[in-house]
């Protein structure tokens, strides 16, 4: 039940990573009667310490000095835009912010908790059906999940009940409610909590979008709109829109996290053991290389190497680390962009997000300090399957939303001025105040497709603190996604006009623009260990089971074949519950490959 | 007796500890020279369920509160009680024949538990609540004995040796106390058992006055440290509120409208005991360990019996009924922060406890109408604002919410103002507190929990 500095007795299952995916798998597998040991490289985290008020909302310590994020001094990755370049290490967190410690990124996330559109799970088939094979650009690796929405629905439903998600259903068991997202797929039950209230900015956007003929809805938020007790008996407090979600542990227990929503129940289970400060270096295989025997890790408390054996290994670290550990363990074949062979590192994707800003007259206060990470009003008109991409000329899509998440003082000061406006003095102050009180942002939160020469592999030069080759990211923006972003941002401009904006600053990607790792984009990285139906193009079968090592399951957004418009956590959680369900129903009764290639 | 001020150590401690301090150490000196027999030699088959029943009796009596020290084997004692006259340790009551109570016969066991007399004839300190345990019936004592002989693993360890200075280490005066204040088994049982014809109330009386020993903290004590009333029959002092223990005020469990349980429903009391939280209030301070070791595991029927019994205890004092007053709420919602303490309340308290003082269900307790907010002595409210406190994870309620402490961020003046503000808002109408009171309490509260001891959610 508690931390140990020596290797414990052999558990049935070892789970790598204590974020959402790992906590869900550990909960499910202990429920199945198995002894589960979960390894986490970082420290334990709790609301009583990291979320204690008012220290928890110290912006300097939190978002600026990256209190809850990955410590790059020990492990990082290298980044380049194109295969002909030399990659260099990511030395300062900026573009994306992986978590570290118990809860992982699930502790410092915002709480945007989406399902999927129907096409997200079968994008290749849907694109060909609607627009023909030729519509797919050369070197775009479009792929289906091989799981239908109907199959995943019970697991989306379960995850929302565990997370205490606030939202408004549009269709429940075939009954239309007349509210919510008209494009959303049918649900087996309502959200467990009513939607979060609109901030003023969200209500302005809701009205303008509706008047422009779009279909606004309340974003589903894993921020509790009311006190809540989940099926595990874990309780949440209600959100007060303090604005300290992303980058922080919620002091009100109202943002869903593994720490608040799953681990309180799990920690009481004698079959569960959590070992923190355990940096896993390798998944161990037997001589056949077809069976995992356990993991090798460094106990950071004693700086000693340890081995822990198990019958079943769940790899559920952050997306980048899942890929890295597969590569360092020599499981599966590394992806080669020249021959397009191999699967590990293939279909690495991201999201294509830009944020535009509108200013309202001085008599309309948006009060940017107010906010909740998952709350807001969105439109799916450019993300839903029926939107005509043939005319627009791109694959993918983008929800558009006002997600006023709470602008903190330092971020507000840094975000004002520039682009021709003064960066100091009275004019800067006036502009900053105007922006803080009367403006708000509208985001285009778009998909990102997979491409032949966008991938992850091991860096030939740079090594981490443990002597292992670092992961190397080869990534840049591609024409299809830039076109998608530009199209959607143009629509934002029209809506902004309808709101009576006094000024608008539209931001979109430019043709040929390169990915810049120094500027925050999003932490929604995906792919690299993707699921699919063909072992030549996917690392996992539809149950997230490794094709190569059947007693290894790799859970997380690393399984996504391409990046979608929605935030990934909802799908990560649903896939975890889906995989766990099939492990319990099928695998445990008859361990071995669940799909024969 | 005034030497027994308060103990220090972990927060898992029973609120009884200052009293226990008087009673411990005795069993520990059990002579190792006595002839011993293997504790578990008697392996005759037991009636089915007897050990489980005995375990339940140990839960009802909360034996672990004092005899299981975190980090030591169950029932091996060793919980420290630091006194001005030295440190003493609770005893090993596991069935080890040398270090524990394995050599006790059932009659000797009953005599110790119910009359406070050790095997060797010397007296226990009355912090061992034997005046309450005297009420245990023979069947329950039997089950308890069987459990401690055959259901508990013998622990061949001694608690650390006591370090008391003579003459304070002498025990013979305790026999006088015992003779004066402790009932005989027969009279105790007669008094508790003959109060109610309703079997549920009778069961409630048995649990509260007997194994539950609620009066040990919740009844006032006289200068000689005996409880002034031991049963409902003894009059309105019974469970009318104890003193201040470890800087927590022990409230009344009678039906006073403001400061007792007058506005709690039967279900509120059951929820509180079972999960440490109800819509009317959350456990904190000395009650939390009682719920963690003991009350949460009571059977549903027993919880209801306790609640129903408590609800028929007439108020000890007449109080003007509490009625919600929206004045403060309206002021705060108008952003009128002119009252002293209002700004601090908005900045530090309102997120959880709300501007209307209503809190949020079983997550964040209400301050409006909360009995502990209105007690004459505001020590508890001052204490919790300074030090914070945590609920504990229970099988009945997994989430352990933490209230942060504000000792580092609020001055004595600010704490006094916000406590006064809370005590006077929403119809609470209680007296304000002085800065000097806060200053005194700040310097006398036990050490807060370390991060390692804090809940992990």
């Amino acid at each position: 039940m508690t931390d140990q500095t020596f290797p414990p007795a052999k558990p049935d299952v070892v789970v790598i990573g204590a974020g959402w995916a790992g906590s869900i798998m550990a909960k499910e597998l202990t429920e199945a009667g198995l002894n589960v040991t979960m390894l986490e490289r970082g420290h334990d985290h709790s609301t009583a310490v990291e979320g204690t008020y008012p220290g928890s909302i110290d912006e300097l310590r939190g978002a600026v000095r990256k209190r809850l994020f990955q410590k790059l001094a020990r492990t990082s990755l290298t980044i380049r835009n194109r295969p002909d370049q030399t990659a260099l290490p990511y030395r300062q967190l900026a573009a994306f912010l992986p978590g570290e410690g118990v809860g992982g990124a699930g502790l410092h996330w915002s709480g945007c908790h989406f399902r999927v559109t129907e096409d997200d799970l079968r994008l290749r088939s849907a694109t060909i059906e609607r627009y023909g094979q030729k519509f797919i650009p050369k070197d775009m690796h479009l792929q289906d999940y091989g799981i239908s929405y109907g199959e995943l629905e019970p697991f989306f439903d379960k995850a929302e009940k565990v997370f205490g998600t606030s939202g408004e259903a549009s269709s429940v068991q075939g009954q239309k409610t007349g509210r919510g997202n008209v494009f959303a797929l049918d649900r087996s039950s309502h959200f467990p909590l009513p939607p979060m209230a609109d901030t003023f900015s969200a209500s302005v956007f809701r009205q303008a979008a509706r008047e422009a003929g779009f279909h606004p809805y309340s974003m589903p938020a894993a921020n509790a709109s009311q006190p809540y007790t989940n099926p595990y008996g874990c309780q949440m407090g209600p959100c007060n829109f303090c604005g300290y979600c992303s980058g922080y542990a919620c002091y009100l227990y109202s943002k869903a996290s593994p720490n608040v929503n799953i681990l309180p129940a799990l920690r009481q289970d004698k079959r569960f053991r959590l070992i923190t400060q355990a940096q896993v270096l390798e998944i161990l295989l037997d001589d056949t290389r077809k069976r995992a025997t356990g993991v090798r890790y460094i106990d950071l408390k004693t700086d000693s190497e340890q081995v822990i054996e198990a019958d079943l290994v769940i790899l559920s670290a952050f997306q980048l680390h899942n890929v890295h550990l597969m590569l360092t363990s020599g499981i599966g074949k590394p992806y080669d962009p020249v021959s397009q062979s191999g699967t590990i590192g293939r279909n690495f994707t991201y999201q294509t997000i830009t944020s535009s800003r509108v200013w309202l007259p001085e008599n309309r206060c948006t009060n940017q300090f107010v906010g909740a990470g998952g709350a807001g009003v969105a439109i799916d008109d450019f993300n839903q399957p029926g939107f005509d991409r043939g005319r627009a000329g791109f694959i993918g899509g983008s929800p558009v939303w006002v997600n006023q998440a709470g602008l903190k003082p330092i971020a507000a000061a840094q975000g004002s001025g520039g682009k021709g406006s003064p960066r100091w003095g009275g004019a800067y102050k006036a502009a900053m105040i105007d922006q803080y009180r009367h403006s708000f942002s509208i985001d285009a939160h778009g998909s990102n497709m997979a491409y032949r020469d966008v991938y992850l592999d091991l860096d030939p030069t740079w090594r981490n603190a443990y002597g292992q080759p670092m992961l190397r990211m080869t990534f840049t923006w591609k024409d299809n996604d830039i076109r998608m972003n530009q199209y959607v941002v143009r629509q934002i401009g029209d809506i902004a006009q309808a709101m009576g904006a006094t000024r608008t600053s539209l931001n979109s990607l430019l043709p040929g623009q390169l990915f810049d790792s120094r500027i925050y984009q999003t932490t929604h990285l995906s792919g690299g260990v993707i699921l699919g139906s063909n072992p030549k193009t996917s690392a996992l079968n539809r149950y997230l089971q490794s094709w190569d090592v059947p007693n290894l399951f790799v859970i997380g957004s690393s399984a996504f074949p391409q990046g979608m418009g929605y935030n990934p956590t909802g799908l990560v959680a649903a896939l975890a519950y889906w995989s766990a369900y099939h492990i319990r129903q099928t695998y445990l009764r008859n361990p071995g490959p669940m799909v024969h290639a | 007796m005034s030497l027994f001020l308060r103990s220090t150590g972990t927060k898992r401690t029973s609120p009884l500890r200052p009293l226990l301090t008087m009673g411990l150490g005795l069993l520990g000196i059990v002579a190792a020279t006595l002839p011993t027999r293997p504790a578990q030699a008697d392996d005759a088959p037991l009636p089915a369920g007897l050990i489980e029943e005995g375990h339940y009796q140990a839960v009802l009596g909360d034996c672990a509160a004092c005899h299981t020290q975190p980090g030591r084997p169950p029932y091996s004692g060793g919980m420290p009680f630091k006194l001005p006259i030295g440190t003493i340790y609770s005893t090993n009551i596991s069935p080890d024949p040398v270090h524990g109570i394995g050599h006790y016969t059932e009659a000797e066991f009953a005599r110790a538990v119910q009359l406070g007399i050790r095997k060797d004839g010397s007296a226990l300190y009355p912090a061992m609540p034997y005046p309450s345990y005297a009420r245990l019936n023979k069947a329950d004592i039997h089950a308890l004995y069987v459990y401690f002989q055959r259901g508990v693993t013998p622990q061949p360890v001694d608690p650390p040796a006591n370090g008391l200075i003579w003459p304070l280490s002498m025990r013979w005066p305790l026999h006088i106390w015992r003779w004066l204040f402790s009932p005989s088994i027969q009279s105790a049982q007669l008094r508790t058992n003959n109060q109610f014809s309703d079997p549920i109330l009778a069961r409630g009386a048995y649990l509260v006055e007997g194994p539950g020993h609620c009066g040990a903290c919740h009844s006032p004590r006289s200068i000689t440290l005996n409880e002034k009333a031991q049963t409902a029959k003894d009059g309105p002092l019974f469970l009318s509120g104890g003193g201040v223990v470890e800087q927590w005020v022990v409230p009344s469990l009678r039906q006073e409208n403001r400061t007792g349980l007058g506005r709690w429903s039967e279900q509120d009391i059951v929820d509180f005991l079972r999960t440490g939280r109800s819509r009317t209030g959350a456990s904190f301070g000395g009650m939390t360990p009682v719920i963690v070791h003991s009350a949460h595991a009571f059977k549903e029927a027993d919880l209801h019996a306790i609640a129903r019994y408590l609800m028929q205890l007439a108020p000890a004092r007449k109080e003007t009924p509490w009625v919600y007053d929206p004045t403060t709420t309206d002021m705060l919602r108008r952003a009128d922060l002119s009252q002293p303490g209002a700004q601090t309340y908005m900045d530090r308290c309102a997120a959880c406890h709300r501007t209307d003082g209503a809190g949020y269900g079983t997550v964040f307790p209400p301050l409006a109408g909360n009995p502990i907010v209105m007690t004459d002595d505001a020590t508890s409210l001052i204490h919790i604002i300074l030090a914070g406190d945590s609920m504990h994870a229970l099988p009945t309620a997994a989430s352990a919410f933490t209230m942060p402490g504000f000792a580092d961020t609020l001055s004595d003046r600010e704490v006094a103002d916000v406590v006064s503000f809370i005590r006077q808002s929403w119809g609470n109408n209680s007296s304000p507190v002085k800065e000097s009171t806060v200053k005194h309490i700040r310097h006398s509260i036990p050490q807060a929990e370390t991060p390692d001891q804090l809940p992990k959610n």
Side-chain angles (χ1 to χ4, degrees):
Chain A
M1 294 268 286
T2 50
D3 282 1
Q4 303 202 355
T5 50
F6 51 87
K10 181 184 166 180
D12 301 311
V13 186
V14 63
V15 174
I16 304 165
W20 275 123
S23 300
I24 288 170
M25 298 304 285
K27 182 78 181 79
E28 287 280 317
L29 296 174
T30 52
E31 280 178 18
L34 300 177
N35 289 308
V36 177
T37 293
M38 184 153 77
L39 303 176
E40 164 55 47
R41 66 178 167 174
H43 292 271
D44 211 341
H45 282 150
S46 68
T47 312
V49 177
E50 282 74 19
T52 197
Y53 183 87
S56 61
I57 60 168
D58 179 340
E59 187 189 5
L60 187 63
R61 192 176 179 196
V64 176
R65 294 189 178 153
K66 323 286 187 204
R67 184 179 187 187
L68 300 177
F69 304 142
Q70 184 179 350
K71 309 296 175 266
L72 296 186
R74 285 191 166 267
T75 58
S76 186
L77 76 166
T78 65
I79 301 177
R80 61 182 180 176
N81 288 132
R82 295 189 313 269
D84 61 351
Q85 294 172 317
T86 301
L88 290 172
Y90 185 54
R91 292 179 186 274
Q92 290 190 1
L93 290 167
F96 49 89
L97 310 168
E100 183 166 314
V102 172
L107 183 62
H108 72 65
W109 73 315
S110 294
C112 297
H113 189 186
F114 284 93
R115 295 189 172 192
V116 290
T117 72
E118 190 150 34
D119 282 7
D120 285 334
L121 295 178
R122 52 188 300 277
L123 196 57
R124 181 177 185 84
S125 302
T127 302
I128 293 170
E129 282 162 21
R130 291 177 204 277
Y131 311 112
Q133 177 98 38
K134 282 190 177 161
F135 194 67
I136 302 173
K138 183 173 175 291
D139 291 338
M140 183 191 282
H141 284 176
L142 213 50
Q143 195 176 304
D144 294 350
Y145 278 66
I147 311 172
S148 70
Y149 173 76
E151 288 176 299
L152 271 188
E153 202 287 332
F155 306 103
F156 280 118
D157 185 69
K158 181 163 187 174
E160 286 165 359
K161 290 186 165 79
V162 169
F163 284 46
T165 303
S166 305
E168 199 160 40
S170 162
S171 171
V172 179
Q173 298 192 11
Q175 298 287 310
K176 302 289 178 196
T177 65
R179 295 188 298 274
N181 179 9
V182 293
F183 303 116
L185 292 160
D186 190 55
R187 308 163 49 87
S188 56
S189 63
H190 284 272
F191 285 95
L193 291 175
M196 296 282 282
D198 286 356
T199 56
F200 176 71
S201 56
S203 70
V204 168
F205 178 72
R206 186 188 288 276
Q207 191 184 341
R210 190 182 289 128
E211 284 168 4
F214 299 121
H215 301 84
Y217 64 93
S218 299
M219 291 167 66
N223 310 137
S225 58
Q226 294 175 1
Y228 181 68
T229 304
N230 79 7
Y232 299 146
C234 300
Q235 293 177 273
M236 303 172 80
C239 172
N240 74 341
F241 286 77
C242 81
Y244 286 82
C245 306
S246 184
Y248 300 84
C250 174
Y251 64 83
L252 273 173
Y253 301 85
S254 45
K255 180 179 72 178
S257 66
N259 315 60
V260 168
N261 295 59
I262 298 179
L263 285 162
L266 202 44
R267 289 182 203 265
Q268 295 199 351
D269 195 320
K270 289 186 166 50
R271 290 164 293 204
F272 172 71
R273 186 200 318 265
L274 171 65
I275 303 179
T276 56
Q277 294 182 264
Q279 171 75 47
V280 176
L281 300 179
E282 185 185 5
I283 296 166
L284 300 169
L285 302 176
D286 70 5
D287 292 342
T288 68
R289 312 285 300 163
K290 288 185 186 314
R291 192 185 140 69
T293 57
V295 304
R296 183 166 63 86
Y297 70 94
I298 291 189
D299 180 339
L300 299 173
K301 294 193 269 293
T302 57
D303 257 335
S304 60
E305 216 169 276
Q306 308 286 354
V307 167
I308 185 164
E309 293 183 354
D311 297 326
L312 181 60
V313 176
I314 306 292
L315 174 52
S316 51
F318 190 74
Q319 176 267 345
L320 292 170
H321 315 316
N322 280 356
V323 180
H324 187 239
L325 211 47
M326 292 294 276
L327 291 169
T328 56
S329 306
I331 301 171
K333 194 177 162 207
Y335 173 68
D336 172 13
V338 178
S339 62
Q340 296 201 71
S341 64
T343 57
I344 309 300
R346 188 179 191 275
N347 278 38
F348 167 58
T349 52
Y350 204 9
Q351 278 182 326
T352 313
I353 301 177
T354 58
S355 195
S356 299
R357 184 162 289 276
V358 300
W359 283 258
L360 296 179
E362 278 195 7
N363 61 351
R364 303 175 81 191
C365 291
T366 61
N367 292 339
Q368 289 290 286
F369 50 86
V370 173
V377 169
I379 56 172
D380 257 12
D381 296 79
F382 317 114
N383 193 44
Q384 50 109 357
F387 165 64
D388 187 355
R389 282 124 173 121
R391 270 194 4 211
F394 55 80
I395 294 171
S398 175
V400 172
W401 59 53
V402 172
N403 164 225
Q404 185 169 318
L407 185 57
K408 273 67 82 179
I410 298 172
Q414 287 175 335
S416 294
K419 287 191 180 175
S421 311
R423 285 290 300 159
W424 65 86
Y428 162 71
K429 283 185 190 166
M432 188 184 86
I433 292 166
D434 183 38
Q435 179 161 317
Y436 206 40
R437 297 187 65 193
H438 305 294
S439 80
F440 61 96
S441 60
I442 308 180
D443 307 328
H445 200 276
S447 59
N448 179 239
M449 295 301 119
Y451 300 94
R452 176 179 181 168
D453 58 353
V454 170
Y455 62 102
L456 299 168
D457 64 355
L458 291 178
D459 192 279
T461 308
W462 296 90
R463 289 175 179 269
N464 65 21
Y466 312 107
Q468 297 181 300
M470 281 194 205
L471 193 67
R472 176 171 64 179
M473 174 191 292
T474 305
F475 179 83
T476 196
W477 306 116
K478 297 286 189 176
D479 291 346
N480 173 80
D481 304 295
I482 293 171
R483 276 201 304 279
M484 183 274 298
N485 175 261
Q486 291 188 323
Y487 178 92
V488 175
V489 172
R490 278 198 298 277
Q491 317 297 318
I492 293 177
D494 296 344
I495 299 171
Q497 290 311 310
M499 291 177 199
T502 55
R503 188 152 65 93
T504 309
S505 168
L506 296 178
N507 286 317
S508 56
L509 294 178
L510 303 172
Q513 183 171 335
L514 298 175
F515 168 62
D516 185 342
S517 66
R518 298 168 305 172
I519 297 164
Y520 180 68
Q521 173 73 17
T522 172
T523 305
H524 304 158
L525 302 156
S526 51
V529 192
I530 66 170
L531 53 70
S533 53
N534 182 352
K536 286 198 165 25
T537 54
S538 60
L540 312 174
N541 66 27
R542 68 198 298 263
Y543 303 110
L544 288 82
Q545 180 182 35
S546 164
W547 289 113
D548 301 284
V549 178
N551 67 334
L552 169 67
F553 290 75
V554 187
I555 317 292
S557 66
S558 50
F560 297 2
Q562 54 265 324
M564 60 177 176
Y566 291 143
N567 305 55
T569 304
L571 181 54
V572 168
L575 286 174
Y577 279 116
W578 153 269
S579 177
Y581 175 83
H582 289 285
I583 291 173
R584 292 174 69 169
Q585 291 296 313
T586 307
Y587 178 85
L588 293 179
R589 288 175 192 167
N590 184 20
M594 291 156 80
V595 177
H596 290 279
Chain B
M1 297 294 185
S2 59
L3 286 169
F4 304 109
L5 294 174
R6 72 176 177 82
S7 57
T8 60
T10 72
K11 275 210 162 179
R12 197 167 173 267
T13 315
S14 159
L16 261 183
R17 211 157 64 164
L19 300 162
L20 285 172
T21 2
M22 302 185 301
L24 293 167
L26 262 188
L27 285 171
I29 309 173
V30 163
T33 53
L34 284 174
T36 60
R37 61 175 176 77
Q40 292 178 301
D42 181 9
D43 50 6
L46 290 169
L50 187 57
I51 293 214
E52 290 73 16
E53 179 55 31
H55 173 253
Y56 185 59
Q57 293 302 325
V59 168
L60 288 176
D62 202 2
C63 309
C66 295
H67 291 281
T68 299
Q69 161 75 351
R72 287 177 57 96
Y75 298 117
S76 69
M79 185 172 278
F81 300 85
K82 282 187 186 157
L83 306 172
I85 55 167
T87 301
I88 62 173
Y89 296 87
S90 69
T91 52
N92 183 339
I93 57 166
S94 78
D96 186 272
V98 178
H99 308 271
I101 58 168
H103 58 296
Y104 271 59
T105 65
E106 184 166 338
E108 289 164 346
F109 176 80
R111 195 172 67 146
V113 170
Q114 300 192 276
L115 295 175
I117 302 171
R118 290 196 319 190
K119 186 182 172 81
D120 67 2
S122 59
L124 288 174
Y125 285 111
M128 167 79 177
Y130 57 81
S132 298
Y133 292 160
R135 287 156 232 283
L136 261 67
N137 65 42
K138 215 169 168 52
D140 288 350
I141 282 285
H142 176 63
L144 201 57
Y145 176 72
V146 169
Y147 173 66
F148 274 112
Q149 292 298 334
R150 296 174 66 174
V152 170
T153 309
Q155 305 294 348
V157 291
D158 277 328
N162 292 331
L164 288 189
I165 311 156
W166 187 89
L168 298 160
S169 54
M170 287 194 303
R171 295 162 191 281
W172 62 263
L174 295 168
H175 274 301
I176 301 170
W177 190 95
R178 215 178 53 72
W179 179 72
L180 281 171
F181 302 119
S182 181
S184 73
I185 292 174
Q186 198 186 14
S187 76
Q189 291 182 346
L190 215 60
R191 202 151 175 86
T192 286
N193 293 346
N194 291 351
Q195 298 177 98
F196 301 98
S197 53
D198 178 320
I200 295 174
L201 288 177
R203 175 70 179 163
Y206 176 73
L207 291 166
V208 170
E209 298 171 8
H213 63 281
C214 308
C217 289
H218 287 276
S219 292
R221 288 180 186 256
S222 62
I223 190 95
T224 44
L225 285 180
N226 57 303
E227 293 166 37
K228 286 180 178 171
Q230 293 181 344
T231 68
K233 216 186 244 177
D234 296 345
L237 284 178
F238 181 63
L239 300 183
S240 65
V244 175
V245 179
E246 295 194 325
Q247 299 297 354
W248 300 114
V249 176
V250 186
S252 168
L253 302 182
R254 302 183 71 93
Q255 287 291 295
E256 294 83 15
N257 181 280
R258 287 174 164 267
T259 61
L261 296 178
R263 285 170 292 111
W264 288 43
S265 70
E266 180 177 325
Q267 193 58 46
D268 293 335
I269 297 171
V270 170
D271 289 346
F272 180 85
L273 292 172
R274 196 171 58 84
T275 64
R277 61 207 79 182
S278 71
R279 87 189 157 85
T280 41
S283 159
F284 63 96
M287 188 61 195
T288 297
V290 178
I291 289 168
V292 171
H293 306 139
S294 178
H296 84 269
F298 288 7
K299 291 171 185 164
E300 191 76 9
D302 282 349
L303 289 169
H304 281 276
I306 289 168
R308 229 179 271 185
Y309 164 81
L310 293 176
M311 289 178 74
Q312 57 76 52
L313 295 175
R317 305 169 287 279
K318 193 162 167 49
E319 292 177 339
T320 318
W322 177 82
V323 180
Y324 185 77
D325 177 350
T327 309
T328 299
T329 309
D330 295 342
M331 278 175 58
L332 294 178
R333 290 187 179 164
R334 288 197 308 271
D336 176 352
L337 302 174
S338 55
Q339 262 193 64
Q343 179 77 57
T344 302
Y345 184 81
M346 285 304 291
D347 291 346
R348 299 285 184 251
C349 317
C352 295
H353 299 287
R354 298 174 42 135
T355 47
D356 62 7
Y360 284 102
T362 55
V363 180
F364 304 129
L367 300 177
N370 190 323
I372 206 73
V373 169
M374 295 187 279
T375 48
D376 289 344
D377 184 334
T379 297
S380 285
L381 197 53
I382 294 168
H383 185 165
I384 199 168
I385 288 171
L386 286 171
D389 204 5
S390 297
M391 297 183 188
H392 280 237
L394 296 165
T396 48
S399 295
F401 298 113
T402 295
M403 166 161 164
F406 294 94
D408 295 340
T409 49
L410 296 179
S411 68
D412 294 337
R413 178 78 260 155
E414 287 168 320
V415 173
D417 283 347
V418 79
V419 167
S420 300
F421 177 83
I422 292 165
R423 280 169 64 83
Q424 295 179 331
S425 296
W426 311 296
N428 289 346
N429 299 347
S430 303
S431 58
V433 302
K434 294 196 190 95
E435 189 178 343
S436 56
T437 310
V438 176
K439 185 176 180 175
H440 171 74
I441 292 170
R442 185 192 288 269
H443 290 116
S444 55
I445 49 181
Q447 202 180 358
E449 286 165 315
T450 66
D452 282 352
Q453 294 169 309
L454 288 170
K456 292 293 187 191
N457 63 316

